Amino acid sequence: MLTQDKQQRNWKPVIKALEAVLGKNGVVQRREELITYECDGLTSYRQRPALVVLPRTTEQVAEVVKICNKYSVPFLARGSGTGLSGGALPVEDSVLIVTSLMRQILNVDLDNQRIVVQPGVINSWVTQTVSGAGFYYAPDPSSQIICSIGGNVAENSGGVHCLKYGVTTNHVLGLKIVTAEGEIVDLGGQIPEMPGYDLTGIFVGSEGTLGIATEITLRILKSAESICVLLADFTSIEDAGATVSDIISAGIIPGGMEMMDNFSINAVEDVVATNCYPRDATAILLIEIDGLEVEVAGNKQRITEICHKNNARSVTSATDLETRLKLWKGRKAAFAAAGHLSPDYYVQDGVIPRTQLPYVLHEIRMLSEQYGYRIANVFHAGDGNLHPLILYDRSIPGALEQVEELGSKILKLCVKVGGSISGEHGIGQEKKCYMPEMFSATDLETMQWVRQVFNPKGLANPEKIFPTPRTCGEAANKATDKQFEGVERF
Amino acid sequence: MLTQDKQQRNWKPVIKALEAVLGKNGVVQRREELITYECDGLTSYRQRPALVVLPRTTEQVAEVVKICNKYSVPFLARGSGTGLSGGALPVEDSVLIVTSLMRQILNVDLDNQRIVVQPGVINSWVTQTVSGAGFYYAPDPSSQIICSIGGNVAENSGGVHCLKYGVTTNHVLGLKIVTAEGEIVDLGGQIPEMPGYDLTGIFVGSEGTLGIATEITLRILKSAESICVLLADFTSIEDAGATVSDIISAGIIPGGMEMMDNFSINAVEDVVATNCYPRDATAILLIEIDGLEVEVAGNKQRITEICHKNNARSVTSATDLETRLKLWKGRKAAFAAAGHLSPDYYVQDGVIPRTQLPYVLHEIRMLSEQYGYRIANVFHAGDGNLHPLILYDRSIPGALEQVEELGSKILKLCVKVGGSISGEHGIGQEKKCYMPEMFSATDLETMQWVRQVFNPKGLANPEKIFPTPRTCGEAANKATDKQFEGVERF
């Protein structure tokens, strides 16, 4: 049964062509089945796609994209739909290419520390596949048990361990992509530095606007001989922030270094009861050290000294797996815990220079008081990647708007101190209007030139990343209009 | 006095416009002064530029580029001219923009571990500037006491320490560039991961074909607490290669891991007499370990065990600066030493997966015997980045051609085993004809689309990276012609 939208557009030939490639089961068109796909992890925006398709191979993705081109239908890919900036939010009358049947591990090459996967493969499966041989895949978003590698590539996802090991782009050696016009192209290769332009680098984090990755070659790392997690307890945010700076300045790069404030600690203890976190601490740091046993022992001692020098009340540590998991459990459940405390929450994702931590946290506290919304701070302190969680109730008229305004002020604060409007969640739908805060008209123009190269008709994931006339300031309009006069706009 | 070429083109208005921006001293036009600039480190290609200009600021570079655009004059930048693939080789009737007066350190921000420099700043000056405060800049090409940061950015240069710390692109946080049309654009920023497309990543290594970097923000690292250099001595190349693989597989990433074969060892000892290298070894490994004292001690022990397990005859070590420098002296002088042993030498730069080391070294030995030229092997073993040095005498008719053919066979061998035609020297003029060995027509086409975006008139460093009809195979011709029908071809 076709929806009204579809009838207006005459979807029949499109559906017929898609079914010829994917079979009837590979094309979802019933309204009630499409509802599942009307948003990703950014639940405040919703848009039902016209159709969902379920390809299994690169060639099928290429055929689908060619059909979309033939009928001028916008399309975009979706992995597990856990993205937090609306990168996989459908646009009106679009075909959503869902990769959940593309879940094969295509090649494992332990000698050269590489693995080739399809985009629907779940992040944690990569580590599971190679852990028996003593390897792992480093980028670990909190959603790693459900998010897909394809989505990680699109959003250049981070995670707790990205402080030491870098984000997704540092672990993608090569890609097979389907371009916006349905051509199959190989980017990068099996070695880290290829000659020519770094097209792999530009593709990772491009949120589906340059094409769809259908085979991904990832770098896997040797598992550490020894791992230790430290929990340091502070009575002042400033002391915790100074500890983070001092550890890095001492030349130590921990595997991860996370901060939680008092509100987050109590939220987590209320909901998941780790019984590890001191409820009266103003802030705690969770610091994971990995490496050789001697190295871990040496770093543990030095970090403990730095914590105490910065007035930590206590520093506890764990090396056994069970206690380590317990220490991390609270941190990983922090977003979910916020969901238990409040009908709704809004997660922000901004980056600041580490040295600005105390100032920015103070300003966030002021904003929280000014707007009257509680804000929990849980974040990748080592990277300066903040995740303020604003708690609110959507059912109160005007609340969402106020919370969005508050979130926007936090982002502008990040930019003001030399940081960024996104650390690891991408720009997607949510943050495109902030792009002119960070980039000049010429910068945005240059990026859109590149988009134009890969995506000349604008059919691949339209309305993402770049501010459009509907939402953006004058600068961005000018950039877009100047370059693309006469070109169809998305 | 104008040369004949210049008169044909009527350079007078160009010179007048350039002098208005740079003064008379900023524009070099005398034939005898221009000779210095007719080649870079790839001395087998030579071409005198029409003019050399010496700007001091971003704005002056932008003005020069605008003048080149106005008169349709090709232009390119040159740092210290140490590049080994001819990236800074002038083209006929071009303006060469020499950055040797752009040598200011613009900003040092130790708290956030960043430094902003002009492109003419010499690589080793960066470390000198921050070493007093306990920091350093990691990428260290052998030419680091003379090569420029601008050139490093253009070629995405590597070095001994790039095994652990990554090549130039991993250390460039942001760039101010002058586009091919003379606009000033900021790419990236002060934090490692910016939202939007990774234009910084695509610019680094683009060899001047996308514009000219005029301000470069680099990441600086905290100097290691302790450094130890090991010298392991092997009677078989296979054993040395297996040691490299085993060290990496054990989860240890040394600061650097270099291999020299018997021929290189003796060449170095003949010329610079380190008196450290065993002349009867088939191969030696130089392994630098850095980190905390306990970490270095632990790694030293483990690496020594791995060397012995792989039949090393001896493993010696040094932690004091003087002996460490002595151990490295031979490696760093290896190219120069080859120059003493033979009237000419030809350095190749290819990458292979580490596991292919023994096979590829054996094949290189076979090729050496087949062609009758001695080949010294000195290379970044940890990265699989080979630098075979072919010794020959250019004055013997046909020798250069034979050596180029031999070099080409080595590169094709690298590609055959899943490697690359360039590790850290770039493509430039020398290797563009090999690009179709690594990339499909569609791949090359995609890269040239991107070039087209930044460099629509093709005036910025023309005839580099991409094979042109003069030199390339059919595949590349097709790619270029298909996309750029009607577009002026460089």
Side-chain angles (χ1 to χ4, degrees), chain B residues 191-253:
Chain B
I191 52 166
E193 293 303 325
M194 294 281 281
Y197 301 153
D198 182 16
L199 299 181
T200 312
I202 213 159
F203 192 92
V204 176
S206 64
E207 310 196 34
T209 61
L210 306 182
I212 298 170
T214 57
E215 283 187 21
I216 301 150
T217 303
L218 299 172
R219 187 162 71 110
I220 50 173
L221 301 180
K222 191 76 186 171
S223 308
E225 180 183 282
S226 171
I227 300 175
C228 176
V229 179
L230 301 179
L231 188 158
D233 159 3
F234 294 89
T235 55
S236 128
I237 287 270
E238 284 71 17
D239 284 343
T243 303
V244 171
S245 280
D246 286 355
I247 289 170
I248 302 282
S249 296
I252 307 170
I253 311 281

Side-chain angles (χ1 to χ4, degrees), chain A residues 112 156 185-186 191 193-195 197 209 222 225 249 292 295 299 302 355 420 438 443 447 449 453, chain B residues 112 156 185-186 191 193-195 197 209 222 225 249 292 295 299 302 355 420 438 443 447 449 453:
Chain A
N112 290 300
N156 192 18
V185 177
D186 289 297
I191 53 166
E193 293 303 325
M194 295 280 282
Y197 301 151
T209 60
K222 191 76 187 171
E225 180 183 281
S249 297
L292 298 177
E295 178 184 358
N299 277 328
R302 304 230 324 196
T355 48
S420 160
M438 281 198 78
D443 297 347
M447 287 188 205
W449 287 348
V453 159
Chain B
N112 290 300
N156 192 16
V185 177
D186 288 298
I191 52 166
E193 293 303 325
M194 294 281 281
Y197 301 153
T209 61
K222 191 76 186 171
E225 180 183 282
S249 296
L292 298 176
E295 178 184 357
N299 276 329
R302 303 229 326 196
T355 48
S420 161
M438 282 198 76
D443 297 346
M447 286 189 207
W449 287 348
V453 159

Side-chain angles (χ1 to χ4, degrees), chain B residues 397-408:
Chain B
L400 177 60
E401 291 69 24
Q402 280 189 313
V403 164
E404 284 185 338
E405 186 182 304
L406 170 52
S408 141

Side-chain angles (χ1 to χ4, degrees), chain B residues 256-278:
Chain B
M257 185 148 54
E258 303 282 309
M259 199 189 291
M260 292 172 70
D261 67 3
N262 179 271
F263 186 27
S264 312
I265 293 164
N266 282 288
V268 162
E269 288 296 337
D270 285 348
V271 176
V272 298
T274 74
N275 300 319
C276 299
Y277 299 172

